[in-house]
């Protein structure tokens, strides 16, 4: 065939490097509206759920049973299930229907009922609902801080910059697993240099992640994965009971935590039982709620390529975020993996959470260049900072970040690198040289960093665990070396675990170490003029991006 | 980013599993014949008019600091840099106490979050259990790790040694579910 020049150009467009697939309902390669999804039903006998979505109690798998006994409120179930799908969908986007009314009824919905309701809604209606249903009134943001070399000096500097730019939570992980204690330590120190009160985590295997939290090196945990079919849950090496126990273990050490799930994980792991991705994800959200966990990271997360490849997949991802908020849980709403070659598509996908606002719009925005992101990249990264700031300014939306100056960022990165240098010296870890401090101060990414002796670092990192180094040792090391303010901040984080205020839904900690959560900052959105509004101070901050010309510029005759 | 490859892999995986599942279907049905066991409800918290209220008592750190004490008897005021530097404050002083978790459970209840409150109460029972033992119990609760007897022994230990009644019942329930769903270790 003679090629059309127009089609040839289109073939070269980034979007045509993305993968797409037609729906295949029988195996679960379908986002929503799968004809094979169970039909909504519930039967309560003697205060107990004896039928759920057409399945009798004796046939329940582990997830059905957990949802029936720990999620469903039998006192509202019959009332809630009697509401028509369309009426429930209308309540969700009706500004006159308060959040509390919906939260109460949602306790009585079954997974199939929720999917049936969402099948009625388009994305604008879902965004309206998300704006109202988000648990914390003030939206916020989380970032990833990693690098391919696991270079701790760079993690400290990047963490400081990201905290300074406005992220309230920061997540690291490792290239080499044995580096974990150093990555966590570097992020804790760097983060508290950038902004006192920022919360940090290190994504690892469940038991190790808990250990670092117990030692006071990290402040919270998120990578506690749950799945929507029993087989995949088991392949993930857990059960709803083991995960719920783990949740209590975290709280018993005064540590904030949330679960993680996402559409597409079951089909990717090969056992979707022929159900839609959204149906299985709703089960994850319900069992998270049943386990008594305060929140959930979802929005497909590492499986985003799967829903993104099928029709209405990005709509389903928005729907899963929305249901998390309806279940009165904190939502860290994804946007955390590179899923498309197309910048247009990447931006559109993020607008679903950016415009209505969520507890954490990204779960993580890449606070490092994409090549350094060890979570397989993110949807936005450091090179997009200025675009993101302009989006906030164009649309008058609070996306959680603020404009900064180059001078400020250089200073804060340098301080973080020096603080970590002092901690390493005090604890007897391999030296951080002046050359490394200088490089981390001005670096774009790990390509700009001198190489460290990895063997020595790994030995010391394991030693850190063996010696039982805790957050208190870090506080002492900082204070002894003149970093009193940073020491106070790290101690401030340790104090959080004593009062337990940040165990509540959607908690963040402000610069004065006050907890802001869905307890003292409850979302009261009920239409225009209500809910979260930018105050003057915050709007002035967002408006004043560095590249905006002031009218004086023209007065002085420098303009045209 | 290598999405096309990934999607191809998924489709292949799905096909493989569909074929493999047909072979094991029979064994699965037999497993499901194990009788369903009734589950005991977690006891409902006693209502008490002295319970904390989120509107006036939260955050505890600023609204009710006098109620917060660590298991070692330190107050929030005792947690200061000076005490770290003169070794008066150690890592074990920076832990949450049973009573604080109970207060936070009351706050969660007052804001309508019953499951969160239940979790915080389960957590309050686990405070006395050493870190290593917590990690061992968690691992024992993972699929195919324990026999039913081993899980029931852990439940007894939690009940007798740590008075962790809610957790003990929770693990007994898990043992029943794992048996019914074939998730126990078979030696």
């Amino acid at each position: 065939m003679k090629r059309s020049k127009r089609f040839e150009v289109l073939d070269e467009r980034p979007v045509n490097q993305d993968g797409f697939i037609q729906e295949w309902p029988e195996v679960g390669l379908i986002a929503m509206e799968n004809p094979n999804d169970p039909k909504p039903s519930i039967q309560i006998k003697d205060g107990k759920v004896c039928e759920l979505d057409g399945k009798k109690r004796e046939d329940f798998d582990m997830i059905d049973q957990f949802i029936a006994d720990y999620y469903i409120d039998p006192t509202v179930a019959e009332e809630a299930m009697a509401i028509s799908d369309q009426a429930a969908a209308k309540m969700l986007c009706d500004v006159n229907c308060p959040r509390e009314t919906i939260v109460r009824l949602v306790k009585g919905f079954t997974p199939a009922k929720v999917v049936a309701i969402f099948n009625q809604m388009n994305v604008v209606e879902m965004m309206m609902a998300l704006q109202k249903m988000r648990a914390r009134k003030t939206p916020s943001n989380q970032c990833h801080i990693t690098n391919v070399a696991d270079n701790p000096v760079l993690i400290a500097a990047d963490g400081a910059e990201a905290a300074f730019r406005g992220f309230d939570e920061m997540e690291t992980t490792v290239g080499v697993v044995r580096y974990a204690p150093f990555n966590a330590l570097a992020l804790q120190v760097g983060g508290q240099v950038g902004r006192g009160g920022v919360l940090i985590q290190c994504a690892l295997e469940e038991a190790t992640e808990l250990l670092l939290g117990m030692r006071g090196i990290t402040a919270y945990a998120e990578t506690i994965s749950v799945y929507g079919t029993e087989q995949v849950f088991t392949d993930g090496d857990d059960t709803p009971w083991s995960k719920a126990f783990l949740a209590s273990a975290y709280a018993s050490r005064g540590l904030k935590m949330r679960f993680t799930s996402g559409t597409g994980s079951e089909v990717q792991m090969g056992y979707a039982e022929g159900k839609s991705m959204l149906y299985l994800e709703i089960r994850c959200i319900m069992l998270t709620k049943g386990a008594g966990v305060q929140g959930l990271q979802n929005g497909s997360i590492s499986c985003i390529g799967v829903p993104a490849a099928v029709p209405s997949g990005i709509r389903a991802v928005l729907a899963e975020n929305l249901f998390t908020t309806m279940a009165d849980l904190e939502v860290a709403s994804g946007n955390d993996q590179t899923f498309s070659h197309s910048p247009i598509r990447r931006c559109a996908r993020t607008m679903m959470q950016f415009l209505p606002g969520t507890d954490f719009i990204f779960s993580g925005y890449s606070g490092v260049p994409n090549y350094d992101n060890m979570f397989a990249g993110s949807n936005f990264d450091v090179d997009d900072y200025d675009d993101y700031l302009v989006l906030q300014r164009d649309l008058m939306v609070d996306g959680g970040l603020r404009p900064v100056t180059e001078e400020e960022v250089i200073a804060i990165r340098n301080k973080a690198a020096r603080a970590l240098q002092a901690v390493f010296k005090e604890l007897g870890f391999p030296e951080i040289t002046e050359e490394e401090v200088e490089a981390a101060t001005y670096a774009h990414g790990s390509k700009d960093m001198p190489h460290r002796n990895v063997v020595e670092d790994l030995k010391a990192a394991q030693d850190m665990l063996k010696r039982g180094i805790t957050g208190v040792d870090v506080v002492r090391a900082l204070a002894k070396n003149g970093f009193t303010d940073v020491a106070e901040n790290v101690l401030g984080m340790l104090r959080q675990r004593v009062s337990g205020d940040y165990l509540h839904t959607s908690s963040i900690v402000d610069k004065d170490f006050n907890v802001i959560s869905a307890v003292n900052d409850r979302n009261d959105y009920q239409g225009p003029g209500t809910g979260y509004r930018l105050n003057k101070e915050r709007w002035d901050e967002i408006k004043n991006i560095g590249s905006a010309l002031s009218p004086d510029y023209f007065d002085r005759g420098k303009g045209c | 980013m290598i999405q096309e490859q990934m999607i191809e892999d998924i489709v292949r995986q799905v096909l493989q599993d569909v074929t493999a599942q047909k072979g094991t279907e029979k064994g699965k049905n037999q497993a499901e014949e194990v009788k369903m066991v009734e589950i005991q409800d977690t006891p409902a918290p006693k209502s008490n008019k002295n319970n904390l209220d989120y509107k006036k008592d939260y955050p505890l750190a600023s609204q009710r600091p006098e109620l917060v004490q660590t298991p070692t008897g330190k107050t929030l005021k005792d947690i200061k840099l000076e005490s770290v530097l003169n070794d008066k404050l150690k890592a074990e002083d920076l832990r949450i106490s049973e009573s604080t978790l109970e207060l936070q459970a009351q706050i969660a209840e007052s804001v309508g979050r019953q499951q969160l409150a239940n979790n915080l109460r389960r957590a309050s029972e686990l405070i006395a259990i050493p870190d290593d033992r917590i990690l061992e119990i968690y691992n024992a609760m993972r699929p195919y790790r324990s026999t039913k007897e081993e899980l029931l022994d852990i439940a007894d230990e939690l009940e007798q040694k740590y008075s962790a009644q809610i957790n003990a019942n929770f693990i007994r329930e898990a043992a029943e579910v794992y048996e019914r769903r074939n998730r126990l270790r078979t030696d």
Side-chain angles (χ1 to χ4, degrees), chain B residues 65-130:
Chain B
E66 75 281 7
L67 298 179
V68 178
Q69 265 201 357
T70 71
T72 53
K74 306 274 189 211
T75 65
L76 287 172
K77 273 191 190 154
D78 296 329
I79 302 173
K80 48 188 182 193
L81 192 53
E82 191 194 327
S83 312
V84 173
L85 292 176
N86 60 24
D87 283 331
K88 279 192 183 144
L89 197 72
K90 302 197 168 12
E92 48 274 28
D93 294 318
L94 289 162
R95 298 185 87 161
I96 198 161
S97 67
E98 262 181 68
S99 62
T100 308
L101 276 172
E102 170 56 30
L103 298 175
Q104 295 293 6
Q106 291 172 15
I107 299 274
E109 257 166 3
S110 76
V111 76
R113 298 181 178 129
Q114 190 57 53
Q115 287 98 334
L116 177 57
N118 294 346
N119 180 22
L120 297 176
R121 291 201 168 98
R122 288 200 306 271
S124 75
E125 289 188 347
L126 302 179
I127 287 175
I129 305 174

Side-chain angles (χ1 to χ4, degrees), chain A residues 386-440:
Chain A
D386 290 344
D387 292 78
Y388 194 80
L389 293 173
V390 170
L391 287 175
Q392 292 189 134
R393 185 178 187 265
D394 283 346
L395 300 168
M396 200 177 176
V397 163
D398 192 340
L401 299 195
R402 60 179 184 141
V404 292
T405 67
E406 191 172 349
E407 291 82 357
E408 291 168 327
V409 166
I410 287 172
I412 210 98
R413 292 181 68 95
N414 185 263
K415 185 176 172 186
R418 288 195 184 287
L420 192 71
Q421 184 185 40
V423 170
F424 266 43
K425 189 173 166 222
E426 192 67 33
L427 296 177
F429 297 154
E431 187 192 3
I432 292 172
T433 63
E434 286 300 312
E435 188 200 358
E436 287 180 282
V437 169
E438 179 78 2

Side-chain angles (χ1 to χ4, degrees), chain A residues 12 33 41 43 58 246 294 459 472 478 557:
Chain A
E12 292 305 310
E33 284 154 299
S41 80
Q43 271 185 33
E58 53 270 25
L246 189 60
Q294 63 82 28
K459 231 175 88 188
V472 174
L478 285 163

Side-chain angles (χ1 to χ4, degrees), chain A residues 298-537:
Chain A
N298 75 358
S300 196
I301 313 303
S302 55
C303 300
I304 184 72
V306 182
V310 298
S312 180
I314 298 301
R315 170 173 163 248
V317 169
L318 169 58
E320 66 181 275
N321 292 150
L322 171 57
F323 184 67
T324 310
T325 64
M326 288 160 63
D328 200 19
L329 297 171
E330 170 191 69
V331 68
S333 55
N335 286 304
D336 56 348
Q337 188 160 43
T338 316
F339 82 103
S340 172
H341 296 80
S342 157
I344 295 175
R345 217 177 156 217
R346 289 208 300 267
C347 185
R349 182 253 175 279
T350 289
M351 289 304 104
M352 304 296 105
Q353 291 75 30
F354 175 84
L355 296 176
T358 73
D359 294 309
F360 299 95
I361 297 164
F362 290 73
S363 57
Y365 185 116
S366 185
V368 296
N370 233 21
Y371 74 83
D372 267 333
N373 191 305
M374 301 308 286
F375 294 98
S378 180
N379 203 34
F380 278 57
D381 63 48
V382 279
D383 299 341
D384 302 315
Y385 270 146
D386 290 344
D387 292 78
Y388 194 80
L389 293 173
V390 170
L391 287 175
Q392 292 189 134
R393 185 178 187 265
D394 283 346
L395 300 168
M396 200 177 176
V397 163
D398 192 340
L401 299 195
R402 60 179 184 141
V404 292
T405 67
E406 191 172 349
E407 291 82 357
E408 291 168 327
V409 166
I410 287 172
I412 210 98
R413 292 181 68 95
N414 185 263
K415 185 176 172 186
R418 288 195 184 287
L420 192 71
Q421 184 185 40
V423 170
F424 266 43
K425 189 173 166 222
E426 192 67 33
L427 296 177
F429 297 154
E431 187 192 3
I432 292 172
T433 63
E434 286 300 312
E435 188 200 358
E436 287 180 282
V437 169
E438 179 78 2
T441 302
Y442 295 95
H444 175 252
S446 61
K447 286 175 187 164
D448 307 312
M449 293 299 295
H451 292 292
R452 283 181 64 80
N453 185 329
V454 174
V455 177
E456 287 298 306
D457 268 357
L458 290 177
K459 231 175 88 188
Q462 291 315 296
D463 192 44
M464 176 178 156
L465 285 185
K466 270 188 227 136
R467 281 158 63 193
I469 300 283
T470 67
V472 174
D473 299 307
V474 179
V475 172
R476 197 178 295 118
L478 285 163
K480 271 185 163 176
N481 288 277
F483 291 94
T484 314
D485 55 338
V486 190
E488 287 281 8
N489 287 349
V490 175
L491 184 62
M493 291 318 299
L494 295 172
R495 197 184 282 114
Q496 291 302 325
R497 64 182 62 200
V498 170
S499 64
D501 289 318
Y502 87 135
L503 300 176
H504 285 277
T505 310
S506 307
S507 292
I508 49 178
V509 179
D510 74 9
K511 65 177 171 43
D512 303 314
F513 289 86
N514 299 307
V515 174
I516 299 165
S517 71
V519 178
N520 59 353
D521 186 35
R522 284 154 56 88
N523 189 4
D524 55 1
Y525 180 83
Q526 277 199 67
T530 67
Y532 181 76
R533 302 281 148 176
L534 288 165
N535 61 33
K536 186 181 178 302
E537 195 187 356

Side-chain angles (χ1 to χ4, degrees), chain A residues 268, chain B residues 3-14:
Chain A
Q268 188 161 348
Chain B
Q3 265 188 55
E4 269 161 294
Q5 184 59 45
M6 186 183 76
I7 288 160
E8 272 183 47
D9 289 347
I10 293 169
V11 173
R12 270 193 213 102
Q13 179 71 40
V14 167

Side-chain angles (χ1 to χ4, degrees), chain A residues 32 110 224 274 307 313 340 365 557:
Chain A
M32 303 169 62
T110 65
I224 321 292
S340 172
Y365 185 116

